[in-house]
Tab-separated table of all heavy atoms in Angstrom:
chain	number	residue	atom	x	y	z
A	959	ASP	N	-61.016	-81.257	-88.006
A	959	ASP	CA	-62.452	-81.014	-88.106
A	959	ASP	C	-63.232	-82.316	-87.907
A	959	ASP	O	-64.225	-82.353	-87.174
A	959	ASP	CB	-62.777	-80.385	-89.462
A	959	ASP	CG	-64.245	-80.018	-89.596
A	959	ASP	OD1	-64.783	-79.389	-88.663
A	959	ASP	OD2	-64.854	-80.355	-90.631
A	960	LEU	N	-62.788	-83.389	-88.556
A	960	LEU	CA	-63.449	-84.685	-88.383
A	960	LEU	C	-63.350	-85.180	-86.940
A	960	LEU	O	-64.306	-85.732	-86.406
A	960	LEU	CB	-62.848	-85.727	-89.322
A	960	LEU	CG	-63.268	-85.656	-90.774
A	960	LEU	CD1	-62.482	-86.651	-91.609
A	960	LEU	CD2	-64.765	-85.912	-90.908
A	961	ALA	N	-62.201	-84.978	-86.336
A	961	ALA	CA	-62.024	-85.393	-84.941
A	961	ALA	C	-63.016	-84.667	-84.035
A	961	ALA	O	-63.599	-85.256	-83.128
A	961	ALA	CB	-60.584	-85.132	-84.492
A	962	GLU	N	-63.226	-83.393	-84.323
A	962	GLU	CA	-64.170	-82.602	-83.528
A	962	GLU	C	-65.615	-83.046	-83.780
A	962	GLU	O	-66.387	-83.238	-82.844
A	962	GLU	CB	-64.010	-81.123	-83.864
A	962	GLU	CG	-64.833	-80.207	-82.983
A	962	GLU	CD	-64.600	-78.746	-83.334
A	962	GLU	OE1	-63.436	-78.350	-83.533
A	962	GLU	OE2	-65.600	-78.011	-83.415
A	963	LYS	N	-65.983	-83.225	-85.054
A	963	LYS	CA	-67.354	-83.627	-85.398
A	963	LYS	C	-67.724	-84.991	-84.828
A	963	LYS	O	-68.856	-85.207	-84.421
A	963	LYS	CB	-67.536	-83.673	-86.918
A	963	LYS	CG	-67.666	-82.347	-87.583
A	963	LYS	CD	-67.853	-82.531	-89.079
A	963	LYS	CE	-67.947	-81.212	-89.799
A	963	LYS	NZ	-68.049	-81.403	-91.258
A	964	THR	N	-66.768	-85.907	-84.849
A	964	THR	CA	-67.052	-87.279	-84.434
A	964	THR	C	-66.732	-87.542	-82.966
A	964	THR	O	-67.079	-88.589	-82.440
A	964	THR	CB	-66.241	-88.283	-85.275
A	964	THR	OG1	-64.847	-88.061	-85.048
A	964	THR	CG2	-66.566	-88.169	-86.749
A	965	SER	N	-66.054	-86.612	-82.315
A	965	SER	CA	-65.568	-86.787	-80.939
A	965	SER	C	-64.563	-87.939	-80.842
A	965	SER	O	-64.396	-88.543	-79.790
A	965	SER	CB	-66.721	-87.009	-79.958
A	965	SER	OG	-67.575	-85.899	-79.939
A	966	ILE	N	-63.913	-88.246	-81.954
A	966	ILE	CA	-62.856	-89.265	-81.968
A	966	ILE	C	-61.539	-88.511	-82.137
A	966	ILE	O	-61.086	-88.257	-83.249
A	966	ILE	CB	-63.059	-90.290	-83.109
A	966	ILE	CG1	-64.443	-90.930	-83.025
A	966	ILE	CG2	-61.964	-91.359	-83.061
A	966	ILE	CD1	-64.788	-91.816	-84.211
A	967	LYS	N	-60.964	-88.109	-81.007
A	967	LYS	CA	-59.790	-87.236	-81.047
A	967	LYS	C	-58.613	-87.854	-81.801
A	967	LYS	O	-57.799	-87.153	-82.379
A	967	LYS	CB	-59.386	-86.821	-79.642
A	967	LYS	CG	-58.892	-87.934	-78.756
A	967	LYS	CD	-58.550	-87.423	-77.372
A	967	LYS	CE	-57.926	-88.414	-76.453
A	967	LYS	NZ	-58.486	-89.682	-76.242
A	968	GLU	N	-58.563	-89.178	-81.847
A	968	GLU	CA	-57.465	-89.851	-82.529
A	968	GLU	C	-57.460	-89.617	-84.037
A	968	GLU	O	-56.428	-89.781	-84.684
A	968	GLU	CB	-57.509	-91.364	-82.245
A	968	GLU	CG	-57.216	-91.731	-80.799
A	968	GLU	CD	-58.471	-91.691	-79.913
A	968	GLU	OE1	-59.555	-91.296	-80.398
A	968	GLU	OE2	-58.361	-92.041	-78.736
A	969	LEU	N	-58.590	-89.224	-84.611
A	969	LEU	CA	-58.619	-88.941	-86.051
A	969	LEU	C	-57.663	-87.808	-86.408
A	969	LEU	O	-57.109	-87.783	-87.506
A	969	LEU	CB	-60.036	-88.585	-86.516
A	969	LEU	CG	-61.003	-89.744	-86.679
A	969	LEU	CD1	-62.388	-89.227	-87.057
A	969	LEU	CD2	-60.512	-90.715	-87.729
A	970	ALA	N	-57.472	-86.898	-85.491
A	970	ALA	CA	-56.578	-85.767	-85.744
A	970	ALA	C	-55.119	-86.212	-85.825
A	970	ALA	O	-54.269	-85.470	-86.313
A	970	ALA	CB	-56.742	-84.705	-84.661
A	971	THR	N	-54.838	-87.437	-85.391
A	971	THR	CA	-53.446	-87.912	-85.374
A	971	THR	C	-53.137	-88.887	-86.508
A	971	THR	O	-52.050	-89.451	-86.554
A	971	THR	CB	-53.128	-88.608	-84.036
A	971	THR	OG1	-53.920	-89.798	-83.929
A	971	THR	CG2	-53.400	-87.695	-82.862
A	972	ILE	N	-54.091	-89.088	-87.435
A	972	ILE	CA	-53.831	-89.990	-88.559
A	972	ILE	C	-52.654	-89.452	-89.362
A	972	ILE	O	-52.594	-88.274	-89.681
A	972	ILE	CB	-55.070	-90.126	-89.471
A	972	ILE	CG1	-56.164	-90.918	-88.756
A	972	ILE	CG2	-54.703	-90.804	-90.792
A	972	ILE	CD1	-57.440	-91.060	-89.567
A	973	LYS	N	-51.731	-90.331	-89.652
A	973	LYS	CA	-50.560	-89.947	-90.435
A	973	LYS	C	-50.861	-90.149	-91.907
A	973	LYS	O	-51.224	-91.225	-92.333
A	973	LYS	CB	-49.359	-90.807	-90.035
A	973	LYS	CG	-49.014	-90.753	-88.564
A	973	LYS	CD	-47.920	-89.769	-88.330
A	973	LYS	CE	-47.401	-89.790	-86.921
A	973	LYS	NZ	-48.195	-89.088	-85.952
A	974	GLN	N	-50.690	-89.119	-92.693
A	974	GLN	CA	-50.962	-89.203	-94.127
A	974	GLN	C	-49.941	-90.056	-94.863
A	974	GLN	O	-50.168	-90.466	-95.985
A	974	GLN	CB	-51.020	-87.801	-94.740
A	974	GLN	CG	-52.206	-86.997	-94.261
A	974	GLN	CD	-53.539	-87.676	-94.582
A	974	GLN	OE1	-53.741	-88.172	-95.672
A	974	GLN	NE2	-54.438	-87.692	-93.624
A	975	ASP	N	-48.819	-90.355	-94.204
A	975	ASP	CA	-47.809	-91.196	-94.852
A	975	ASP	C	-48.101	-92.678	-94.642
A	975	ASP	O	-47.284	-93.530	-94.970
A	975	ASP	CB	-46.416	-90.845	-94.330
A	975	ASP	CG	-46.264	-91.123	-92.836
A	975	ASP	OD1	-47.239	-91.558	-92.189
A	975	ASP	OD2	-45.160	-90.903	-92.312
A	976	GLY	N	-49.259	-92.976	-94.094
A	976	GLY	CA	-49.643	-94.369	-93.905
A	976	GLY	C	-49.161	-94.965	-92.603
A	976	GLY	O	-49.114	-96.184	-92.461
A	977	GLY	N	-48.821	-94.143	-91.654
A	977	GLY	CA	-48.401	-94.652	-90.355
A	977	GLY	C	-49.509	-95.461	-89.706
A	977	GLY	O	-50.662	-95.417	-90.126
A	978	PRO	N	-49.180	-96.231	-88.675
A	978	PRO	CA	-50.173	-97.107	-88.044
A	978	PRO	C	-51.299	-96.329	-87.350
A	978	PRO	O	-51.074	-95.268	-86.783
A	978	PRO	CB	-49.356	-97.918	-87.030
A	978	PRO	CG	-48.134	-97.101	-86.781
A	978	PRO	CD	-47.879	-96.303	-88.031
A	979	PHE	N	-52.487	-96.876	-87.454
A	979	PHE	CA	-53.644	-96.304	-86.766
A	979	PHE	C	-54.538	-97.462	-86.349
A	979	PHE	O	-54.940	-98.270	-87.201
A	979	PHE	CB	-54.423	-95.363	-87.687
A	979	PHE	CG	-55.571	-94.680	-86.988
A	979	PHE	CD1	-55.346	-93.542	-86.232
A	979	PHE	CD2	-56.853	-95.187	-87.058
A	979	PHE	CE1	-56.387	-92.917	-85.571
A	979	PHE	CE2	-57.902	-94.570	-86.398
A	979	PHE	CZ	-57.660	-93.427	-85.652
A	980	PRO	N	-54.828	-97.582	-85.063
A	980	PRO	CA	-55.639	-98.713	-84.591
A	980	PRO	C	-57.116	-98.579	-84.998
A	980	PRO	O	-57.830	-97.697	-84.522
A	980	PRO	CB	-55.475	-98.669	-83.073
A	980	PRO	CG	-54.944	-97.325	-82.750
A	980	PRO	CD	-54.358	-96.740	-83.995
A	981	LEU	N	-57.552	-99.447	-85.903
A	981	LEU	CA	-58.936	-99.409	-86.380
A	981	LEU	C	-59.936	-99.685	-85.265
A	981	LEU	O	-61.082	-99.268	-85.358
A	981	LEU	CB	-59.135	-100.406	-87.516
A	981	LEU	CG	-58.374	-100.102	-88.791
A	981	LEU	CD1	-58.640	-101.177	-89.827
A	981	LEU	CD2	-58.743	-98.743	-89.336
A	982	LYS	N	-59.492	-100.353	-84.206
A	982	LYS	CA	-60.385	-100.648	-83.084
A	982	LYS	C	-60.990	-99.359	-82.520
A	982	LYS	O	-62.141	-99.331	-82.109
A	982	LYS	CB	-59.627	-101.413	-81.997
A	982	LYS	CG	-60.511	-101.839	-80.831
A	982	LYS	CD	-59.734	-102.689	-79.858
A	982	LYS	CE	-60.527	-103.183	-78.696
A	982	LYS	NZ	-61.707	-102.538	-78.272
A	983	ILE	N	-60.236	-98.292	-82.559
A	983	ILE	CA	-60.732	-96.995	-82.080
A	983	ILE	C	-61.970	-96.589	-82.879
A	983	ILE	O	-62.957	-96.115	-82.328
A	983	ILE	CB	-59.640	-95.907	-82.188
A	983	ILE	CG1	-58.513	-96.192	-81.205
A	983	ILE	CG2	-60.215	-94.519	-81.966
A	983	ILE	CD1	-57.279	-95.340	-81.415
A	984	LEU	N	-61.911	-96.795	-84.196
A	984	LEU	CA	-63.037	-96.426	-85.047
A	984	LEU	C	-64.245	-97.319	-84.783
A	984	LEU	O	-65.374	-96.847	-84.709
A	984	LEU	CB	-62.631	-96.489	-86.518
A	984	LEU	CG	-61.471	-95.571	-86.910
A	984	LEU	CD1	-61.123	-95.768	-88.369
A	984	LEU	CD2	-61.796	-94.118	-86.619
A	985	PHE	N	-63.996	-98.618	-84.625
A	985	PHE	CA	-65.094	-99.539	-84.308
A	985	PHE	C	-65.731	-99.181	-82.965
A	985	PHE	O	-66.950	-99.126	-82.842
A	985	PHE	CB	-64.604	-100.988	-84.251
A	985	PHE	CG	-64.517	-101.664	-85.576
A	985	PHE	CD1	-63.289	-101.912	-86.152
A	985	PHE	CD2	-65.656	-102.061	-86.249
A	985	PHE	CE1	-63.194	-102.551	-87.379
A	985	PHE	CE2	-65.586	-102.702	-87.484
A	985	PHE	CZ	-64.349	-102.943	-88.037
A	986	ASP	N	-64.892	-98.949	-81.965
A	986	ASP	CA	-65.395	-98.643	-80.616
A	986	ASP	C	-66.210	-97.356	-80.581
A	986	ASP	O	-67.068	-97.185	-79.715
A	986	ASP	CB	-64.233	-98.546	-79.617
A	986	ASP	CG	-63.589	-99.884	-79.331
A	986	ASP	OD1	-64.163	-100.932	-79.723
A	986	ASP	OD2	-62.487	-99.897	-78.739
A	987	ASN	N	-65.939	-96.452	-81.516
A	987	ASN	CA	-66.642	-95.164	-81.547
A	987	ASN	C	-67.726	-95.100	-82.622
A	987	ASN	O	-68.185	-94.022	-82.976
A	987	ASN	CB	-65.630	-94.027	-81.747
A	987	ASN	CG	-64.819	-93.783	-80.505
A	987	ASN	OD1	-65.298	-93.150	-79.574
A	987	ASN	ND2	-63.612	-94.308	-80.457
A	988	ASN	N	-68.117	-96.272	-83.120
A	988	ASN	CA	-69.204	-96.353	-84.114
A	988	ASN	C	-68.992	-95.392	-85.279
A	988	ASN	O	-69.839	-94.564	-85.584
A	988	ASN	CB	-70.558	-96.096	-83.464
A	988	ASN	CG	-70.874	-97.126	-82.406
A	988	ASN	OD1	-70.639	-98.314	-82.603
A	988	ASN	ND2	-71.394	-96.687	-81.278
A	989	ILE	N	-67.851	-95.546	-85.942
A	989	ILE	CA	-67.502	-94.658	-87.046
A	989	ILE	C	-68.578	-94.627	-88.123
A	989	ILE	O	-68.758	-93.619	-88.807
A	989	ILE	CB	-66.115	-95.024	-87.637
A	989	ILE	CG1	-65.605	-93.928	-88.575
A	989	ILE	CG2	-66.153	-96.357	-88.347
A	989	ILE	CD1	-65.304	-92.623	-87.910
A	990	ASP	N	-69.327	-95.723	-88.264
A	990	ASP	CA	-70.376	-95.765	-89.288
A	990	ASP	C	-71.445	-94.707	-89.071
A	990	ASP	O	-72.096	-94.271	-90.008
A	990	ASP	CB	-71.006	-97.160	-89.368
A	990	ASP	CG	-71.469	-97.680	-88.030
A	990	ASP	OD1	-70.637	-97.765	-87.098
A	990	ASP	OD2	-72.662	-98.007	-87.900
A	991	ASP	N	-71.615	-94.267	-87.825
A	991	ASP	CA	-72.587	-93.205	-87.528
A	991	ASP	C	-72.177	-91.862	-88.138
A	991	ASP	O	-72.997	-90.951	-88.252
A	991	ASP	CB	-72.743	-93.022	-86.014
A	991	ASP	CG	-73.421	-94.203	-85.339
A	991	ASP	OD1	-74.061	-95.017	-86.041
A	991	ASP	OD2	-73.306	-94.319	-84.101
A	992	PHE	N	-70.906	-91.747	-88.522
A	992	PHE	CA	-70.377	-90.468	-89.004
A	992	PHE	C	-70.045	-90.483	-90.492
A	992	PHE	O	-69.352	-89.599	-90.992
A	992	PHE	CB	-69.129	-90.088	-88.201
A	992	PHE	CG	-69.394	-90.004	-86.722
A	992	PHE	CD1	-68.996	-91.025	-85.879
A	992	PHE	CD2	-70.079	-88.924	-86.194
A	992	PHE	CE1	-69.257	-90.959	-84.516
A	992	PHE	CE2	-70.341	-88.851	-84.838
A	992	PHE	CZ	-69.929	-89.869	-84.002
A	993	LYS	N	-70.538	-91.481	-91.214
A	993	LYS	CA	-70.234	-91.590	-92.650
A	993	LYS	C	-70.612	-90.301	-93.380
A	993	LYS	O	-69.856	-89.810	-94.211
A	993	LYS	CB	-70.961	-92.783	-93.261
A	993	LYS	CG	-70.633	-92.973	-94.729
A	993	LYS	CD	-71.371	-94.146	-95.333
A	993	LYS	CE	-71.060	-94.230	-96.810
A	993	LYS	NZ	-72.031	-95.021	-97.532
A	994	GLY	N	-71.768	-89.738	-93.072
A	994	GLY	CA	-72.210	-88.510	-93.725
A	994	GLY	C	-71.255	-87.352	-93.491
A	994	GLY	O	-70.944	-86.593	-94.422
A	995	ASP	N	-70.765	-87.203	-92.256
A	995	ASP	CA	-69.808	-86.135	-91.948
A	995	ASP	C	-68.515	-86.315	-92.735
A	995	ASP	O	-67.940	-85.348	-93.232
A	995	ASP	CB	-69.483	-86.117	-90.446
A	995	ASP	CG	-70.668	-85.699	-89.598
A	995	ASP	OD1	-71.371	-84.745	-89.993
A	995	ASP	OD2	-70.901	-86.322	-88.550
A	996	ILE	N	-68.078	-87.556	-92.852
A	996	ILE	CA	-66.841	-87.828	-93.582
A	996	ILE	C	-67.046	-87.582	-95.073
A	996	ILE	O	-66.194	-86.980	-95.733
A	996	ILE	CB	-66.345	-89.253	-93.287
A	996	ILE	CG1	-66.010	-89.373	-91.788
A	996	ILE	CG2	-65.124	-89.599	-94.134
A	996	ILE	CD1	-65.760	-90.773	-91.303
A	997	GLU	N	-68.201	-87.993	-95.599
A	997	GLU	CA	-68.513	-87.717	-97.010
A	997	GLU	C	-68.539	-86.218	-97.275
A	997	GLU	O	-68.019	-85.756	-98.299
A	997	GLU	CB	-69.868	-88.324	-97.381
A	997	GLU	CG	-69.859	-89.824	-97.536
A	997	GLU	CD	-71.239	-90.410	-97.748
A	997	GLU	OE1	-72.239	-89.864	-97.223
A	997	GLU	OE2	-71.327	-91.442	-98.435
A	998	ASP	N	-69.118	-85.453	-96.356
A	998	ASP	CA	-69.160	-83.991	-96.518
A	998	ASP	C	-67.743	-83.413	-96.563
A	998	ASP	O	-67.459	-82.520	-97.363
A	998	ASP	CB	-69.936	-83.338	-95.371
A	998	ASP	CG	-71.427	-83.644	-95.413
A	998	ASP	OD1	-71.914	-84.149	-96.451
A	998	ASP	OD2	-72.102	-83.401	-94.385
A	999	THR	N	-66.863	-83.917	-95.708
A	999	THR	CA	-65.490	-83.424	-95.674
A	999	THR	C	-64.770	-83.761	-96.971
A	999	THR	O	-64.018	-82.938	-97.504
A	999	THR	CB	-64.738	-84.002	-94.453
A	999	THR	OG1	-65.460	-83.639	-93.264
A	999	THR	CG2	-63.329	-83.474	-94.363
A	1000	VAL	N	-64.985	-84.961	-97.499
A	1000	VAL	CA	-64.383	-85.348	-98.775
A	1000	VAL	C	-64.891	-84.418	-99.875
A	1000	VAL	O	-64.113	-83.926	-100.700
A	1000	VAL	CB	-64.684	-86.818	-99.126
A	1000	VAL	CG1	-64.291	-87.137	-100.562
A	1000	VAL	CG2	-63.964	-87.756	-98.156
């Protein structure tokens, strides 16, 4: 759902076991613009 809302398809691939995820993807996609969407999901 977050991947769809933010158009950051890589969010759907985050590993809950703490696997690696390149934060650069979040920076490049202005993740801060989606703080409200993420708060709503939480």
Side-chain angles (χ1 to χ4, degrees):
D959 184 48
L960 283 174
E962 186 178 316
K963 284 181 182 177
T964 63
S965 298
I966 305 173
K967 66 181 186 310
E968 293 86 356
L969 283 176
T971 65
I972 290 178
K973 303 263 188 280
Q974 293 301 316
D975 63 358
F979 184 83
L981 294 179
K982 184 175 181 338
I983 292 169
L984 301 177
F985 277 107
D986 290 348
N987 287 281
N988 298 317
I989 192 66
D990 52 303
D991 291 343
F992 303 103
K993 182 181 177 199
D995 292 318
I996 297 169
E997 286 174 328
D998 291 347
T999 302
V1000 169

